[in-house]
């Protein structure tokens, strides 16, 4: 099963992708997480990606596409995956479609987690992420057991550099310009599924499992 998570920054793509990954035994592939791991390790890719990410801009397609295709060519992706944060532009979607069709394959579901802009900025300022394992929390909706500490690995929780309100507004603008057109793209392919992302995390997931079976 190959699944794409669509949605605005902060819609809950990562939260739901992780739950799908655990329930269905599929690898969770997030281009944002790959870039952040590279930034943390100080790689050349990380340094380049950071220049765009800190401004709320998209990392150029050439760079992103290569990383994604390398990742899904790995052995653990043989039986499928959940893509979180890719594709984010029509050219990225076309590259993925081409690469899959060469293997006689295709994406099965594109799930759009729908959250209006008004909810996004508030949600992002409450998000906290683990510096070590990347686990995501929310100070109100998904709090850690101990404030500021990751439940999973005990490391410190931080506000992501790109979660400052002014950067979030820019990410939302870029989302509407470049990523939202993918909703029509996958609707035309007949694989678009919409879920309401404003309800409780568990209820969003229940609706997703009704789609995936
Ligand atoms: P990326 O890491 O993908 O960021 P994003 O798309 O902006 O999305 P987020 O991770 O911010 O949000 P999310 O939808 O995963 O929400 P989450 O589950 O955390 O990309 C970062 C940057 O990398 C981009 O800006 C770009 O520069 C670059 N990049 C990445 N991929 C790229 C690509 N393909 N092409 C080019 N550039 C690329 O949830 C958010 C918060 O809300 C959390 O605190 C969570 O606990 C909480 N929450 C979740 N669900 C609910 C709910 N139902 N109710 C209440 N709270 C909830
Ligand atoms: Mg995410």
């Amino acid at each position: 099963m190959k699944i794409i998570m669509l949605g605005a920054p902060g819609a809950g793509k990562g939260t739901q992708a992780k739950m799908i990954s655990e329930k269905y035994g599929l690898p969770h592939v997030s281009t944002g997480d790959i870039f952040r791991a590279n930034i943390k390790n100080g790689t050349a890719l990380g340094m380049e990606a950071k220049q765009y990410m800190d401004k709320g801009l998209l990392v150029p397609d050439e760079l992103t596409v290569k990383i994604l295709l390398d990742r899904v060519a790995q052995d653990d992706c043989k039986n499928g995956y959940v893509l979180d944060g890719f594709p984010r532009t029509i050219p990225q979607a076309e590259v993925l479609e081409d690469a899959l069709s060469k293997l006689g394959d295709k994406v099965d579901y594109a799930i759009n987690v729908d959250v209006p802009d008004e909810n996004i900025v508030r949600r992002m300022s409450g998000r906290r992420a683990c510096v070590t394992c990347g686990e995501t929390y929310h100070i109100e909706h998904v709090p850690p057991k101990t404030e500021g500490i990751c439940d999973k690995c005990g490391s410190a929780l931080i506000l992501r550099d790109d979660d400052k309100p002014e950067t979030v507004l820019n990410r939302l603008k870029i989302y509407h310009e470049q990523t939202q057109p993918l909703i029509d793209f996958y609707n035309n392919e007949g694989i678009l599924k919409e879920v309401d992302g404003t309800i409780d995390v568990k209820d969003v997931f229940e609706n997703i499992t009704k789609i995936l079976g």
Side-chain angles (χ1 to χ4, degrees):
M1 193 153 55
K2 296 184 179 61
I3 303 165
I4 289 172
M5 303 304 292
L6 296 174
K13 301 182 294 297
T15 302
Q16 297 299 328
K18 189 169 159 279
M19 294 166 85
I20 295 171
S21 158
E22 282 163 9
K23 181 173 166 82
Y24 296 91
L26 299 169
H28 169 197
V29 176
S30 156
T31 37
D33 286 351
I34 295 174
F35 290 137
R36 280 184 289 278
N38 275 276
I39 292 171
K40 187 165 164 256
N41 295 328
T43 69
L45 166 68
M47 296 300 104
E48 177 152 17
K50 187 171 167 40
Q51 296 172 29
Y52 299 96
M53 290 169 74
D54 283 353
K55 296 188 190 113
L57 300 173
L58 295 185
V59 178
D61 283 346
E62 310 82 80
L63 205 64
T64 310
V65 156
K66 184 177 179 314
I67 285 154
L68 191 276
L69 292 182
D70 285 352
R71 176 64 190 89
V72 298
Q74 286 171 22
D75 237 24
D76 63 329
C77 288
K78 261 204 313 248
N79 296 322
Y81 39 79
V82 193
L83 296 186
D84 158 20
F86 187 99
R88 245 187 170 88
T89 62
I90 298 281
Q92 289 182 14
E94 288 170 347
V95 169
L96 178 66
E97 196 170 61
D98 276 4
L100 286 174
S101 78
K102 279 183 191 134
L103 303 168
D105 209 348
K106 58 174 183 48
V107 174
D108 299 291
Y109 299 99
I111 301 174
N112 183 40
V113 184
D114 187 35
V115 177
D117 287 8
E118 305 86 84
N119 302 28
I120 296 287
V121 179
R122 225 188 32 247
R123 230 189 228 194
M124 303 298 245
S125 60
R127 172 163 60 184
R128 296 294 179 271
C130 173
V131 286
T132 304
C133 72
E135 185 76 6
T136 299
Y137 301 86
H138 190 282
I139 51 177
E140 286 167 52
H141 309 297
V142 191
K145 291 197 186 87
T146 311
E147 197 187 315
I149 304 292
C150 179
D151 293 350
K152 251 172 74 184
C153 74
S155 300
L157 301 179
I158 54 153
L159 183 69
R160 252 167 59 177
D161 281 344
D162 58 349
D163 279 352
K164 286 173 254 143
E166 63 277 18
T167 315
V168 170
L169 290 176
N170 209 25
R171 285 162 63 195
L172 269 173
K173 181 169 166 280
I174 300 280
Y175 165 76
H176 289 299
E177 288 168 5
Q178 304 201 42
T179 307
Q180 205 174 14
L182 290 173
I183 295 176
D184 280 343
F185 180 94
Y186 287 113
N187 196 22
N188 291 336
E189 306 265 303
I191 59 167
L192 182 75
K193 305 285 171 186
E194 301 258 13
V195 292
D196 177 1
T198 64
I199 58 179
D200 192 79
V201 171
K202 288 193 290 297
D203 299 327
V204 179
F205 185 60
E206 199 186 310
N207 289 335
I208 291 177
T209 59
K210 282 182 193 150
I211 293 166
L212 301 178

